[in-house]
Amino acid sequence: MEKQQSKDPLHGMTLQRILEQLVDYYGFETLSELIKIKCFTDNPSIKSSLTFLRKTEWARKKVEELYVRTIPEFKV
């Protein structure tokens, strides 16, 4: 029996890995322009951003949506 591969682009990705890739690609400055949330503008760090994003569903969704739109850039 063949294993079906998930079509979900976030399958197997942790929020931390998603955020790290976005920060590596865009940097916090550009990220704060793309997604207007305080954790990206005031003393940004992976740790503080993860804390906020884990508690705030709407912000997490915006980060995940940006990641999905950016995936082709990561594969270059």
Side-chain angles (χ1 to χ4, degrees):
M1 188 182 243
E2 287 184 39
K3 285 187 179 182
Q4 286 187 335
Q5 193 167 358
S6 175
K7 295 188 189 304
D8 180 3
L10 299 175
H11 179 77
M13 293 295 294
T14 63
L15 181 58
Q16 181 173 351
R17 186 69 185 129
I18 290 169
L19 185 58
E20 287 171 346
Q21 285 188 341
L22 288 172
V23 170
D24 286 347
Y25 186 76
Y26 290 111
F28 275 113
E29 187 174 332
T30 301
L31 204 51
S32 71
E33 293 170 8
L34 295 170
I35 303 173
K36 306 239 185 279
I37 51 180
K38 194 173 182 179
C39 68
F40 293 158
T41 59
D42 296 350
N43 285 332
S45 72
I46 296 291
K47 185 177 180 184
S48 66
S49 296
L50 282 172
T51 300
F52 176 76
L53 293 171
R54 286 181 177 135
K55 291 189 233 176
T56 315
E57 186 64 32
W58 65 265
R60 181 182 181 139
K61 263 189 151 359
K62 287 184 178 249
V63 168
E64 290 173 344
E65 289 167 0
L66 177 61
Y67 178 80
V68 169
R69 289 194 313 267
T70 308
I71 285 175
E73 300 298 323
F74 291 140
K75 294 183 179 181
V76 171

